[in-house]
Amino acid sequence: MEYQLSAELTAPEDGPDLDPLQQVGVVALLDTRLSRLAGIEGPDGVEITPVEHAVHAHLGGANVSWLLDAPALVFAEDATRAVLEQLLEETELLRGWQVKHCAVTATDDQLESALAASAETGDDGVIEIDPADQLELAERRQRLLDASEYLRAFGLDAFGFTDGGDVTEQEARYVAGAVMHGVEMVTDELFGDIQLLEDEDGTAVDVEALWVMDELPQQYADQYTALFAKQLLVTTAILGYRLTQEEWTAPLCLAEALALHVVKSRAELELDLADAMPEERAAEIFAHFDDHAFADGAHEELYDVSDLDAFDSDVITWFRPDPRYNDTAGLHPYLTDED
């Protein structure tokens, strides 16, 4: 079964930004080492086969996209993280680098195929999890619970938890922690998108695959420039800060609502990787969160391609403060309209 790995490799924090020549060198080093891997040995001798990969460097590190053939998602993620960490350790020029974010996902089609294959072989649907994998899942869940402490803008009631209610405190904390992890993931991915857009000196339509830009309304993709991605990064930083404060005001601009929308998708991925709850259960809790977090569904209407005249076609307006909550000229100097 094939899985897509997304990994963020970061340079030492006390080092300078990578200049263009260093970025080319980093890509060459990583690409060469990854290309030499004919196979990866996972836990208990499980064989994992690399299919293809892509490496993109930026000012603070590099993004790796890796397609792998593995018998199970947990095996793929654990093994590839170990391989990347070993690669960085063995490459003298990359000493001090770290694997900050590493996640593997499977498509719905792939999961359906796996279930179909299981049915054909007479499998009763019971999946046995290795004790080591159970430990990994327990650690993931604990990280979600720990991260939930940083989300102070909402009480657990925003996730549907009430005394005697249907949502448990633990479930609410899992989702709260996943939201905070989602902010971190989107921030990392935006750095990668910015670098790719700058390399192409174009818009999202000129780049084959992007992380965050590809999850925004695609009818406006020809306006998603490197500057737009930088402005969205600033907006996401503001969003992350606001989530740690003890009061919440609905998204201060349309771009912030879109950023939170993408953060939710990353949170759903984190919950899935931790096997914290069924997908349907997470959707129910996020529905409670939406009622508390968003003033309306204006950001979702942007995805409706049937009515392109419903919103201003200039994406720069997405960064203008919502007059219902802010009467200042802008949320941040970097988000002001260009002259």
Side-chain angles (χ1 to χ4, degrees), residues 60-113:
N63 301 106
V64 176
S65 179
W66 207 355
L67 185 64
L68 306 157
D69 192 323
L73 184 149
V74 175
F75 291 145
E77 186 174 67
D78 288 350
T80 50
R81 174 180 282 275
V83 166
L84 290 172
E85 290 175 345
Q86 182 178 354
L87 184 154
L88 295 178
E89 182 179 350
E90 295 177 349
T91 306
E92 184 175 355
L93 294 175
L94 297 178
R95 292 280 173 82
W97 282 52
Q98 295 182 337
V99 180
K100 184 175 182 182
H101 161 64
C102 180
V104 178
T105 60
T107 66
D108 291 339
D109 289 342
Q110 291 167 342
L111 292 175
E112 289 176 4
S113 297

Side-chain angles (χ1 to χ4, degrees), residues 184-230:
E184 182 179 351
M185 292 174 68
V186 171
T187 301
D188 284 339
E189 292 171 354
L190 279 168
F191 278 113
D193 282 357
I194 290 167
Q195 186 60 54
L196 291 172
L197 289 166
E198 287 185 334
D199 289 345
E200 289 294 333
D201 191 24
T203 68
V205 297
D206 302 311
V207 182
E208 183 176 351
L210 293 165
W211 280 273
V212 178
M213 297 299 105
D214 284 351
E215 295 198 30
L216 299 179
Q218 288 305 290
Q219 62 266 33
Y220 305 104
D222 62 341
Q223 298 184 60
Y224 298 157
T225 62
L227 174 60
F228 172 86
K230 291 176 182 178

Side-chain angles (χ1 to χ4, degrees), residues 106-140:
T107 66
D108 291 339
D109 289 342
Q110 291 167 342
L111 292 175
E112 289 176 4
S113 297
L115 291 174
S118 174
E120 290 176 1
T121 57
D123 194 328
D124 59 7
V126 177
I127 301 175
E128 295 185 2
I129 302 179
D130 185 271
D133 298 332
Q134 291 179 335
L135 178 61
E136 169 66 18
L137 290 175
E139 291 176 347
R140 280 186 174 277

Side-chain angles (χ1 to χ4, degrees), residues 30-304:
L30 292 173
D31 183 62
T32 299
R33 294 298 299 274
L34 293 175
S35 297
R36 291 175 182 171
L37 288 173
I40 302 171
E41 184 175 339
D44 300 324
V46 172
E47 288 296 323
I48 298 171
T49 304
V51 179
E52 60 183 11
H53 67 268
V55 181
H56 302 285
H58 52 80
L59 294 176
N63 301 106
V64 176
S65 179
W66 207 355
L67 185 64
L68 306 157
D69 192 323
L73 184 149
V74 175
F75 291 145
E77 186 174 67
D78 288 350
T80 50
R81 174 180 282 275
V83 166
L84 290 172
E85 290 175 345
Q86 182 178 354
L87 184 154
L88 295 178
E89 182 179 350
E90 295 177 349
T91 306
E92 184 175 355
L93 294 175
L94 297 178
R95 292 280 173 82
W97 282 52
Q98 295 182 337
V99 180
K100 184 175 182 182
H101 161 64
C102 180
V104 178
T105 60
T107 66
D108 291 339
D109 289 342
Q110 291 167 342
L111 292 175
E112 289 176 4
S113 297
L115 291 174
S118 174
E120 290 176 1
T121 57
D123 194 328
D124 59 7
V126 177
I127 301 175
E128 295 185 2
I129 302 179
D130 185 271
D133 298 332
Q134 291 179 335
L135 178 61
E136 169 66 18
L137 290 175
E139 291 176 347
R140 280 186 174 277
R141 293 168 186 167
Q142 186 59 49
R143 287 197 292 270
L144 293 180
L145 295 177
D146 292 343
S148 70
E149 300 295 333
Y150 293 97
L151 196 155
R152 302 185 180 92
F154 300 96
L156 295 183
D157 61 307
F159 300 94
F161 170 69
T162 56
D163 291 336
D166 183 45
V167 178
T168 67
E169 178 180 355
Q170 185 177 65
E171 287 176 325
R173 290 183 60 198
Y174 277 146
V175 178
V179 168
M180 297 310 292
H181 275 285
V183 172
E184 182 179 351
M185 292 174 68
V186 171
T187 301
D188 284 339
E189 292 171 354
L190 279 168
F191 278 113
D193 282 357
I194 290 167
Q195 186 60 54
L196 291 172
L197 289 166
E198 287 185 334
D199 289 345
E200 289 294 333
D201 191 24
T203 68
V205 297
D206 302 311
V207 182
E208 183 176 351
L210 293 165
W211 280 273
V212 178
M213 297 299 105
D214 284 351
E215 295 198 30
L216 299 179
Q218 288 305 290
Q219 62 266 33
Y220 305 104
D222 62 341
Q223 298 184 60
Y224 298 157
T225 62
L227 174 60
F228 172 86
K230 291 176 182 178
Q231 291 176 312
L232 190 61
L233 176 61
V234 172
T235 299
T236 303
I238 295 171
L239 170 66
Y241 172 76
R242 295 209 308 115
L243 289 172
T244 65
Q245 303 306 295
E246 294 184 354
E247 294 182 1
W248 175 255
T249 302
L252 302 179
C253 61
L254 193 54
E256 189 173 280
L258 287 168
L260 185 56
H261 177 82
V262 180
V263 163
K264 281 177 49 189
S265 74
R266 298 299 182 273
E268 291 167 352
L269 173 61
E270 285 291 304
L271 292 169
D272 180 58
L273 291 175
D275 196 19
M277 65 186 69
E279 182 180 343
E280 297 78 10
R281 184 60 164 173
E284 293 175 7
I285 297 176
F286 273 119
H288 289 290
F289 178 70
D290 288 350
D291 291 339
H292 287 76
F294 298 97
D296 51 39
H299 65 285
E300 294 181 347
E301 295 179 27
L302 283 173
Y303 291 89
D304 182 5

Side-chain angles (χ1 to χ4, degrees), residues 6 14 233 336:
S6 174
D14 56 353
L233 176 61
T336 57

